[in-house]
Amino acid sequence: MARTQIGGARWALVAVFVALAAWRLSGTRGPGADPWSVVSILVVALVGITNALFTLPATAAVQGLTALVALAGLLRADWTVAVMLLLVFVAPPVFLLRWAGGRGPEPAPSDRAEAPARASRARWAMVGVILAVACASLAYRLLVAHRLEQTAALFIGIPTLLAIIVVLSGTPRSATGSICKAMTIALLMSGIALGEGVICILMAAPLFFAVGVMIGAWVDWTRRRFGERARNTAGCLALLVLLPLALEGVDDRLAWPRAEVVTASREVAASPDAIARQLARSPAFHTPLPAFLRLGFAQPTVTAGRGLSPGDRVSIRLSGAEGQPGDLVLDVIESRPGLIRLRPVTDESLVAYWLTWQEAEIRWAAAGDRGSRVTWILRYRRELDPIWYFGPWERYAVRLAAEYLIDNLATPR
């Protein structure tokens, strides 16, 4: 059991945390108060008070720095959320790292005690998996509460947190295997405990496992090369490398440009006039969606509206995925021979979670003796980070959607 050292200075620091928390909470009263702001203040204050009161071997420097960061988060209102996320993602693995390093080398067990020692390590490894999943669940809730679930803090930060806690809690044989076990449990639980749908799990799984396997492989290699004690150092280095990547999208200054343009073209066996008449009809979808778009994305079902004149309105209901059906409403803003431009008015569909439609442009012109070339241009704003992972997936999905729209809305039947 850790020996507590509570002196007058520590109680004074606790009093400072309590006073700052009370001061900040007094400013969150009223009917329009955000409950998650209260949660952020309480989390930061609780972490600061805990680190002020209790110490464990070799953790004094880490706990002192954590207390100072918590103080900064309470003093500056615009820092509170960032400090809370920093404490949730960084403090647990760093604390475990320093505590494990301060326990000293474990005595080598005799042959007679080897089996109980292995069993004990296996139990602690399972405890580490459970602790990692619990911390990841808490981190997820905090990210959702502060509308950061579309950033790299979720898709890189949470798997990093999972992997580092598993590594530092002690892995009996393979860090990679233990991390993959934790990732699998976390992803399976996300559908039950967190309410995530199948498409969210499918999209997140490759990134989660990639981060976990990378950390696990690095830790296993350092253990084989430099011994068991190198595991903690390897985990710390992995955290330092991946933490900056987890900040993408948390702030607009840490995000790559989000504007995207996707173009799809098809040869259609119809004259330009026939295509114009087809586009003027009420939208109707005859063919099944491409296989990728049937994995769990919302699908067009009911449509309303028609026409090619500026001011005409078209509404498409998207449903069939998790969540409630929603309508995508578009207005015609420009119309002339061979060109139509539409701009979204509202988008209440689940697609708005991943991207924001900006504009749709349809061009068509004669090509060959009896055919035409139809080009469908979709402009949108990417809402998911990191860009290097979700950017290509979104462009691929939007290109499939543009080709599907040409086949169903611009091809006469």
Side-chain angles (χ1 to χ4, degrees):
M1 180 179 294
R3 179 170 58 91
T4 60
Q5 299 176 349
I6 306 176
R10 292 181 181 276
W11 282 113
L13 186 57
V14 169
V16 171
F17 275 112
V18 172
L20 286 175
W23 169 61
R24 289 291 310 281
L25 290 173
S26 66
T28 61
R29 296 177 181 176
D34 181 8
W36 284 106
S37 296
V38 176
V39 172
S40 301
I41 295 170
L42 292 176
V43 169
V44 173
L46 181 60
V47 171
I49 291 171
T50 302
N51 282 274
L53 286 178
F54 304 102
T55 60
L56 287 174
T59 64
V62 172
Q63 290 185 278
L65 181 60
T66 302
L68 289 175
V69 172
L71 278 174
L74 290 176
L75 287 170
R76 290 287 300 268
D78 54 336
W79 289 4
T80 304
V81 174
V83 166
M84 181 200 62
L85 294 175
L86 184 68
L87 295 177
V88 168
F89 280 106
V90 178
V94 173
F95 176 80
L96 286 172
L97 175 69
R98 294 301 304 153
W99 181 49
R103 290 181 298 176
E106 297 180 0
S110 63
D111 293 341
R112 198 170 188 179
E114 181 63 28
R118 284 199 301 267
S120 177
R121 289 195 297 270
R123 284 194 297 270
W124 278 111
M126 181 53 66
V127 169
V129 170
I130 296 171
L131 176 64
V133 174
C135 290
S137 177
L138 173 63
Y140 174 83
R141 293 293 186 185
L142 293 173
L143 290 175
V144 171
H146 294 283
R147 300 179 180 178
L148 297 175
E149 73 274 18
Q150 295 166 282
T151 68
L154 171 63
F155 298 105
I156 294 181
I158 285 186
T160 300
L161 178 67
L162 269 166
I164 298 300
I165 291 180
V166 168
V167 167
L168 298 181
S169 63
T171 53
R173 288 189 179 87
S174 167
T176 304
S178 298
I179 290 170
C180 288
K181 181 189 297 184
M183 296 292 177
T184 303
I185 294 172
L187 289 170
L188 291 175
M189 285 182 59
S190 66
I192 301 172
L194 304 180
E196 288 301 313
V198 62
I199 186 60
C200 297
I201 297 173
L202 288 175
M203 294 295 290
L207 191 53
F208 268 54
F209 281 107
V211 172
V213 169
M214 181 174 62
I215 294 175
W218 163 247
V219 172
D220 286 335
W221 180 83
T222 55
R223 286 168 64 181
R224 290 193 301 268
R225 182 71 182 269
F226 302 105
E228 181 67 25
R229 299 294 293 177
R231 179 191 66 197
N232 296 336
T233 303
C236 184
L237 290 175
L239 179 65
L240 292 176
V241 170
L242 291 174
L243 181 62
L245 299 179
L247 298 178
E248 182 181 346
V250 172
D251 188 279
D252 288 339
R253 293 167 293 183
L254 301 175
W256 294 93
R258 298 187 178 277
E260 299 279 358
V261 181
V262 170
T263 301
S265 295
R266 288 283 180 90
E267 297 286 344
V268 176
S271 66
D273 290 339
I275 292 174
R277 290 193 297 270
Q278 176 65 29
L279 290 169
R281 296 175 181 171
S282 181
F285 301 96
H286 308 283
T287 63
L289 282 168
F292 179 74
L293 298 182
R294 294 200 301 269
L295 291 177
F297 293 97
Q299 302 183 22
T301 53
V302 180
T303 61
R306 57 182 298 174
L308 292 178
S309 302
D312 288 343
R313 176 164 293 185
V314 177
S315 177
I316 302 173
R317 171 151 294 189
L318 297 164
S319 60
E322 62 267 13
Q324 297 296 322
D327 293 337
L328 171 61
V329 180
L330 306 101
D331 281 349
V332 177
I333 60 172
E334 182 179 358
S335 178
R336 51 189 171 86
L339 172 67
I340 297 176
R341 289 175 57 223
L342 302 98
R343 185 165 295 163
V345 180
T346 60
D347 186 2
E348 299 176 350
S349 71
L350 192 65
V351 176
Y353 177 86
W354 302 303
L355 56 87
T356 300
W357 297 115
Q358 302 290 338
E359 188 177 86
E361 183 176 316
I362 312 157
R363 295 178 176 271
W364 67 97
D369 295 335
R370 303 179 60 183
S372 302
R373 171 170 286 275
V374 179
T375 301
W376 207 292
I377 304 170
L378 294 174
R379 297 180 175 87
Y380 64 93
R381 171 186 163 89
R382 175 183 52 83
E383 302 294 351
L384 293 177
D385 295 299
I387 185 175
W388 55 265
Y389 181 76
F390 288 108
W393 279 120
E394 288 194 357
R395 285 192 292 270
Y396 176 65
V398 171
R399 184 170 292 105
L400 290 177
E403 293 172 350
Y404 178 77
L405 292 171
I406 293 175
D407 291 340
N408 286 269
L409 304 186
T411 303
R413 297 185 182 278

